[in-house]
């Protein structure tokens, strides 16, 4: 089973590139499944119903979320009704939607996708560790991918240690900066602290740099907008044994597109 996980989609320009490229990526990379974190796909903050459906219909199998999932209240009904749209599972009972699901990857194989959110420097939600334990007790298949949407590297590393050998992969999201620490522990569980983002690279984590810098320098509120310019798609590619759920190979992945949407040559990275 070959899976592509795309980092946080930030704003319209990245959203449009993802929608355009998804079918070609599935063919050229022979992908069985594509997951994308889409909590910032609408205006760089949140996800509305129209954009969620358009991204899904482009060929993305599952959309995960995070702390900005709730910005557009219209998305609540979609969260309740569509299993392919996830939000962090450790929100308290009564929150719209669901935090995990089991999905058909083709050829008679299924995989579980779980969405969790950290608590360090973020909202104080239910414990993601206890939530993960509870979810794993209900999943009866071996291939399990977790999007851990968290700020602190320490919390992500702790979650890896907590779940090592019991899940196929733990992929961090939220910081929008792809980390150079891919590893496979116990010859089974793949890990990266953050898968990066799909957004404008010459930016402050996908947002226009000028108001972001002003906010740091002057400590005053600013209006943030997604940056414009060359778009980078960051992600992680996983080769997983269909039977055991073991990650056989895992690598960080990147494609860059110029201002006209044309793909630029990559250096020192696989296509």
């Amino acid at each position: 089973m070959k899976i592509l996980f795309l980092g946080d989609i930030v704003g319209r320009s990245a959203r449009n590139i993802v929608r355009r490229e998804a079918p070609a990526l599935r063919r050229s990379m022979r992908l069985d499944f594509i997951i994308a974190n889409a909590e910032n796909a609408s205006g760089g903050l949140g996800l509305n119903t129209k954009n969620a459906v358009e991204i899904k219909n482009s060929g993305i199998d599952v959309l995960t979320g995070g702390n900005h999932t709730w910005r557009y209240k219209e998305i609540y009904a979609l969260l309740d009704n569509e299993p392919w749209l996830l939000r962090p599972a450790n929100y308290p009972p009564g929150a719209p939607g669901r935090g995990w699901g089991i999905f058909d990857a083709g050829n008679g194989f299924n995989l579980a996708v779980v969405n969790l959110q950290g608590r360090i420097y973020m909202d104080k939600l239910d414990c993601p560790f206890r939530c993960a334990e509870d979810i794993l007790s209900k999943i009866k298949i071996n291939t399990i991918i977790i999007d851990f949407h968290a700020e602190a590297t320490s919390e992500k590393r702790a979650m890896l240690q907590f779940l090592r050998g019991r899940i196929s992969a733990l992929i961090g999201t939220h910081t929008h900066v792809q980390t150079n620490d891919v590893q496979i522990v116990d010859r089974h569980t793949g890990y990266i602290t953050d898968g990066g983002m799909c957004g404008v690279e010459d930016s402050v984590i996908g947002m226009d740099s000028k108001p972001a810098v002003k906010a740091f320098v002057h400590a005053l509120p600013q209006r943030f907008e997604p940056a414009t310019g060359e778009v980078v798609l960051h992600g992680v590619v996983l080769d997983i044994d269909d039977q055991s759920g073991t990650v056989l190979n895992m690598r960080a992945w990147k494609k860059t597109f110029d201002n006209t949407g044309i793909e630029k040559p990559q250096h020192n990275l696989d296509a």
Side-chain angles (χ1 to χ4, degrees):
M1 188 186 308
K2 192 169 188 178
I3 299 169
L4 172 64
F5 184 102
L6 293 173
D8 303 49
I9 302 171
V10 184
R12 178 187 299 173
S13 56
R15 185 178 72 238
N16 288 342
I17 293 288
V18 168
R19 288 174 52 208
R20 187 192 76 189
E21 293 295 313
L25 290 173
R26 186 179 288 273
R27 291 191 301 271
S28 65
M29 300 174 68
R30 298 182 180 179
L31 299 171
D32 297 297
F33 208 81
I34 306 176
I35 307 165
N37 186 292
E39 67 142 7
N40 294 309
S42 300
L45 190 68
L47 176 66
N48 62 37
T49 299
K50 175 178 178 291
N51 294 156
V53 172
E54 287 180 350
I55 295 169
K56 173 65 170 65
N57 289 343
S58 72
I60 307 298
D61 296 290
V62 171
L63 301 182
T64 56
N67 54 306
H68 296 308
T69 293
W70 315 103
R71 183 172 179 85
Y72 296 94
K73 289 187 177 180
E74 65 180 68
I75 202 72
Y76 292 10
L78 202 67
L79 284 162
D80 278 332
N81 295 323
E82 296 294 346
W84 50 264
L85 182 62
L86 301 179
R87 48 78 171 169
N90 55 316
Y91 271 86
R98 71 215 77 197
W100 66 281
I102 296 176
F103 304 93
D104 182 4
N107 298 316
F109 295 103
N110 294 329
L111 77 156
V113 181
V114 181
N115 195 181
L116 296 169
Q117 184 172 313
R119 296 191 295 181
I120 298 178
Y121 309 127
M122 301 183 76
D123 296 333
K124 300 303 181 184
L125 304 181
D126 294 344
C127 176
F129 294 84
R130 291 196 174 104
C131 183
E133 191 71 69
D134 179 63
I135 292 170
L136 261 59
S137 72
K138 299 172 182 176
I139 295 176
K140 306 305 179 184
I141 60 175
N142 292 326
T143 303
I144 304 170
I145 308 294
I146 295 184
D147 172 354
F148 191 25
H149 197 77
E151 180 79 22
T153 301
S154 59
E155 191 174 19
K156 295 177 182 180
R157 294 291 306 180
M159 185 66 79
L160 169 66
Q161 298 302 323
F162 184 65
L163 297 176
R164 61 186 296 167
R166 298 194 286 159
I167 63 171
S168 301
L170 180 71
I171 299 171
T173 59
H174 181 64
T175 69
H176 297 196
V177 178
Q178 189 180 74
T179 52
N180 186 27
D181 63 343
V182 169
Q183 65 180 121
I184 300 173
V185 300
D186 299 332
R187 297 184 179 180
H188 184 86
T189 300
Y191 173 83
I192 187 171
T193 298
D194 202 284
M197 72 168 179
C198 299
V200 175
E201 194 162 32
D202 187 11
S203 67
V204 175
I205 60 171
M207 305 304 280
D208 184 75
S209 298
K210 290 183 179 179
V213 171
K214 284 182 179 179
F216 283 109
V217 173
H218 302 295
L220 296 174
Q222 302 291 328
R223 180 180 178 84
F224 297 108
E225 298 286 348
T228 58
E230 296 186 350
V231 171
V232 63
L233 302 187
H234 279 146
V236 181
V237 180
L238 301 136
D239 290 298
I240 300 177
D241 181 77
D242 297 327
Q243 300 287 347
S244 67
T246 297
V247 173
L248 305 173
N249 186 51
M250 179 176 181
R251 61 183 174 87
W253 176 90
K254 175 182 178 181
K255 280 187 180 292
T256 305
F257 300 83
D258 67 20
N259 292 326
T260 67
I262 303 299
E263 183 181 346
K264 298 178 68 176
Q266 304 298 308
H267 302 285
N268 301 320
L269 281 171
D270 293 334

